[in-house]
């Protein structure tokens, strides 16, 4: 199990890109932290998630 | 009326905020990226508190469609926002040091322009630009406090706008849902709630009271 924005779910073995796609996030509008470390965008496609990982997906909407 | 001196204005702030807190505010420096509804309001809150140094960054000019929520005046239409806001801030807090840069920020220029600022406020409007700034600061300037924003459009209750401490140096203000994409545009009052969250968070960080 992994924890995404505080909620436990299956997802170990997926890449971050796959996780974003399955959760309907747009990669160019998010910042992703794994275990409190920012993940550079270039690493989304080849970073695999492991049991116990805590993932925080911060998604931005327009307006300011 | 006699114009107040720097010492008189500082003494008045000290009387309101206390000597210790005012010393921290006056020694602080903050960079504000984007001078729209969020950034213009955040800047006004910070100079009113007596923050010593601000760096204002934006590439845009004041447009008539900005006047519903941004802190500009009709007689400033067409001026660069950096110049217009600096002028307004200098009327509120004439002794605050205000630096400006009329520039569009990107992955390359963010580290060099912002490296010396311990606190950065993200106040852009486009989601891709927000994400770009946040990703760049978190990757390239990991020692910097970052206060970002997402979700303040429309007229939902203001109570859903909150501040979330995502990591020890990264805070996010907003309802994280209501974007301009969803229909109703940006209403000054609700944008100001989000800006006030950002400004309060910045002042809490400066004060050292940012444990939660």
């Amino acid at each position: 199990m992994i924890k995404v924005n505080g909620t436990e779910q299956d997802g170990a073995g997926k890449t971050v890109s796959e996780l974003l796609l399955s959760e309907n996030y747009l990669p160019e509008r998010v910042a992703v932290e794994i275990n409190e470390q920012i993940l550079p965008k270039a690493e989304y496609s080849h970073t695999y998630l492991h049991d116990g990982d805590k993932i925080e997906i911060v998604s931005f909407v327009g307006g300011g | 009326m006699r114009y107040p001196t720097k010492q008189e204005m500082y003494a008045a702030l000290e009387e309101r905020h206390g000597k210790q807190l005012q010393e921290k505010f006056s020694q602080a420096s903050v960079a504000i990226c984007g001078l729209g509804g969020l950034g213009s309001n955040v800047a006004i809150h910070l100079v009113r508190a007596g923050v010593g140094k601000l760096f204002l960054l934006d590439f845009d000019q004041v447009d008539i469609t900005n006047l519903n929520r941004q802190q500009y005046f009709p007689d400033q239409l067409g001026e660069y926002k950096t110049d217009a806001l600096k002028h307004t801030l200098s009327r509120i807090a004439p002794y605050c040091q205000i630096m400006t840069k009329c520039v569009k920020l990107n992955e390359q220029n963010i580290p060099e322009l912002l490296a010396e600022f311990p606190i950065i406020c993200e106040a852009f409007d486009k989601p891709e630009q927000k994400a770009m700034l946040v990703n760049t600061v978190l990757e390239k300037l990991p020692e910097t406090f970052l206060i970002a924003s997402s979700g303040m459009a429309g007229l939902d209750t203001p109570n859903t706008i909150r501040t979330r401490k995502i990591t020890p140096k990264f805070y996010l203000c907003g309802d994280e849902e209501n974007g301009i994409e969803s229909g109703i545009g940006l209403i000054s009052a609700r944008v100001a709630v989000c800006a006030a969250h950002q400004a309060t968070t910045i002042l809490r960080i400066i004060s050292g009271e940012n444990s939660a």
Side-chain angles (χ1 to χ4, degrees):
Chain A
M1 299 289 269
I2 59 173
K3 210 175 231 187
V4 180
N5 292 354
T7 307
E8 287 217 322
Q9 62 175 72
D10 276 331
K14 278 187 190 176
T15 65
V16 171
S17 292
E18 288 164 349
L19 177 70
L20 292 174
L21 190 67
S22 68
E23 304 263 318
N24 294 318
Y25 285 106
L26 295 170
E28 65 275 17
R29 293 187 179 186
V30 300
V32 177
E33 297 206 323
I34 300 181
N35 306 325
E36 296 210 346
Q37 293 291 317
I38 184 77
L39 184 73
K41 277 196 189 302
E43 296 176 20
Y44 286 5
S45 64
H46 55 268
T47 297
Y48 290 87
L49 299 168
H50 301 98
D51 264 334
D53 278 345
K54 277 192 204 164
I55 298 103
E56 183 74 35
I57 303 169
V58 176
S59 180
F60 293 94
V61 295
Chain B
M1 184 217 71
R2 189 179 58 80
Y3 202 79
T5 65
K6 186 175 182 177
Q7 288 72 22
E8 285 168 338
M9 290 199 73
Y10 191 84
L13 287 167
E14 251 188 3
E15 192 183 308
R16 290 287 167 196
H17 302 151
K19 197 175 169 64
Q20 274 190 325
L21 188 57
Q22 199 52 47
E23 193 177 345
K24 288 178 181 170
F25 286 169
S26 70
Q27 286 171 358
S29 55
V30 180
I32 302 178
C33 302
L35 304 177
L38 293 171
S40 62
N41 274 301
V42 169
I44 285 174
H45 287 306
L46 296 184
V47 299
R48 285 207 188 276
V51 167
K53 184 172 162 186
L54 286 191
F55 187 23
L56 310 174
L57 302 104
D58 198 298
F59 65 90
D60 213 357
Q61 292 156 289
V62 180
D63 183 83
I64 195 166
T65 60
N66 300 151
L67 298 178
N68 75 325
R69 68 189 189 284
Q70 305 184 18
Q71 296 295 339
Y72 302 103
F73 301 96
D75 58 26
Q76 294 176 318
L77 293 183
E79 285 182 35
Y80 283 108
K81 289 183 179 179
T82 43
D83 295 336
L85 187 60
K86 181 176 179 172
H87 182 236
T88 301
L89 297 176
S90 71
R91 291 190 66 199
I92 295 170
Y95 307 110
C96 176
Q97 188 188 344
I98 298 165
M99 300 158 58
T100 62
K101 184 90 180 166
C102 192
V103 66
K104 187 160 187 168
L105 289 167
N106 57 47
E107 285 104 335
Q108 284 73 42
N109 63 16
I110 286 168
E112 59 192 77
L113 284 169
L114 302 181
E116 68 175 280
F117 288 83
I119 301 175
I120 296 174
C121 176
E122 177 280 308
F124 288 155
D125 56 356
K126 293 189 176 60
E128 293 81 8
Q129 286 293 105
K130 288 172 172 290
M132 182 278 297
L133 178 66
V134 165
N135 278 289
T136 306
V137 171
L138 293 176
E139 278 180 48
K140 304 282 169 57
L141 302 170
E143 298 306 310
T144 304
F145 282 101
L146 174 63
I147 300 86
S149 57
S150 180
M152 75 297 299
L155 268 179
D156 264 12
T157 169
N159 295 338
T160 51
I161 293 177
R162 58 182 179 158
T163 299
R164 221 156 49 90
K165 187 176 188 176
I166 299 196
T167 59
K169 300 234 160 179
F170 174 34
Y171 294 74
L172 184 68
C173 305
D175 64 27
E176 299 184 48
E177 272 187 39
N178 290 294
I180 38 175
E181 306 86 351
S182 53
I184 305 181
L186 295 158
I187 310 281
S188 178
R190 203 161 187 273
V191 175
V193 172
C194 189
H197 267 262
Q198 289 189 286
T200 308
T201 302
I202 291 166
L203 294 172
R204 280 168 54 80
I205 289 167
I206 295 168
S207 75
E209 295 290 323
N210 57 313
S211 52

